[in-house]
Amino acid sequence: MNVQKIKNGLVIDHIRAGTGLRIFNWLKLDKVPFSVALIMNVSSKHMGKKDIIKIDNEIDIDYSVLGFIDPNITVNVVEDEYVIRKISLSLPDRVENVIRCLNPRCITSSETGIPHVFRLVDRKRAEYACLYCDELYRAGIGEVL
Ligand code: CTP
Ligand code: ZN
């Protein structure tokens, strides 16, 4: 499938197939006034199938949250139709207010106003532990706040 090249903006590439729509929604791209494209199930040599998001506008993205959602993503920064930078994402060491601790005995469940902080404890398994109660969670968009 052919989708036009963009002029100035971002191409979010190598998204695990099936995750593109959720990233599209997380970035609230359904409400923007500029051109955006969500391309799903593109054939890829390395990944089998992948999703791609094209955004024809300079926007700010929280790369640590995006890396938490899918660490295999590449973000291409496009200027005047050329890719001027490729940003490889990775799992961040720490995320704050991205997922919520579900342990009812956790202090974040009983008290309000405490940030939900998780630290990376196992990069291979993409596992994060709650800073307060050590409950384990897997990275990904499933539980994003
Ligand atoms: N792209 C775009 N508009 C541009 C330039 C690039 O939409 N003006 C898109 C390309 O279609 C591609 C992605 O941005 O999906 C990355 O472009 P490029 O680095 O040229 O492609 P590859 O070399 O295939 O990237 P990679 O090796 O990272 O897979
Ligand atoms: Zn907790």
Side-chain angles (χ1 to χ4, degrees), residues 32-102:
V32 297
F34 41 84
S35 300
V36 292
L38 165 62
I39 315 152
M40 294 166 67
N41 297 321
V42 180
S43 297
S44 156
K45 271 188 217 132
H46 306 292
M47 305 175 66
K49 291 205 182 303
K50 64 175 181 179
D51 294 347
I52 303 173
I53 295 173
K54 297 193 181 197
I55 304 165
D56 208 349
N57 193 60
E58 289 158 35
I59 62 163
D60 278 329
I61 289 185
D62 188 327
Y63 289 115
S64 78
V65 178
L66 197 56
F68 179 79
I69 294 170
D70 184 347
N72 298 314
I73 282 173
T74 309
V75 179
N76 298 276
V77 181
V78 175
E79 257 181 48
D80 290 329
E81 294 193 8
Y82 288 99
V83 175
I84 59 149
R85 200 159 69 237
K86 281 184 184 284
I87 301 167
S88 298
L89 301 189
S90 58
L91 291 172
D93 293 330
R94 181 188 154 96
V95 284
E96 195 168 318
N97 292 332
V98 175
I99 55 169
R100 185 191 296 281
C101 183
L102 300 174

